[in-house]
Amino acid sequence: MNPFLRNTLAVIAGLVVGSVVNMSILLISDSIIPAPNGADVSTTEGLKATMHLFEPKHFLFPFLAHAIGTFAGALTTALIAVKHKTKLAYGIGAFFLFGGLVTNFFTLPSPIWFSVVDLIFAYIPMAYLASKIAVKK
């Protein structure tokens, strides 16, 4: 297969896998750590209106979703790619970092402490780790 085509498919696969892992973790989170009483987590507007009810424990699964989703996407991309495995893994990390920036600062009013931890530790470090694992193989 043409290396460019394979790398393109690797990026698409990484974005899909990362997104599916992210959403899967978010979907199960409420069954493990229920939302606070009175919090509406079914819509973005409901989350915005009730975000003040959330405690630090409620941010564990969003962080894990972002970190593990990014890791899974970057690893998938790096394992499938023919060339530039590290660059492509970082590209996946950057894509999800951009999504995190938009979510943390424009979509949902997340606490500053969560935004800082999420943006510093969930995206680029996970892409780095995934690329190191994939390049060793």
Side-chain angles (χ1 to χ4, degrees), residues 53-124:
L53 300 173
F54 285 70
E55 299 172 35
K57 68 180 181 183
H58 296 109
F59 293 94
L60 176 62
F61 276 89
F63 174 79
L64 290 175
H66 299 164
I68 297 169
T70 300
F71 176 80
L75 184 63
T76 299
T77 296
L79 288 174
I80 295 172
V82 178
K83 294 180 178 181
H84 310 293
K85 293 174 180 281
T86 300
K87 289 178 187 176
L88 294 174
Y90 275 118
I92 297 296
F95 177 86
F96 284 111
L97 173 63
F98 177 75
L101 284 166
V102 170
T103 301
N104 284 323
F105 292 107
F106 301 110
T107 307
L108 294 173
S110 302
I112 295 296
W113 68 264
F114 173 73
S115 297
V116 169
V117 168
D118 191 51
L119 296 174
I120 291 174
F121 297 109
Y123 303 103
I124 302 304

Side-chain angles (χ1 to χ4, degrees), residues 7-46:
N7 284 354
T8 302
L9 293 174
V11 169
I12 293 168
L15 293 173
V16 170
V17 168
S19 298
V20 168
V21 168
N22 183 321
M23 286 308 299
S24 297
I25 293 170
L26 290 175
L27 289 173
I28 66 164
S29 68
D30 197 42
S31 64
I32 298 168
I33 299 176
N37 289 334
D40 175 15
V41 296
S42 62
T43 65
T44 302
E45 291 75 26

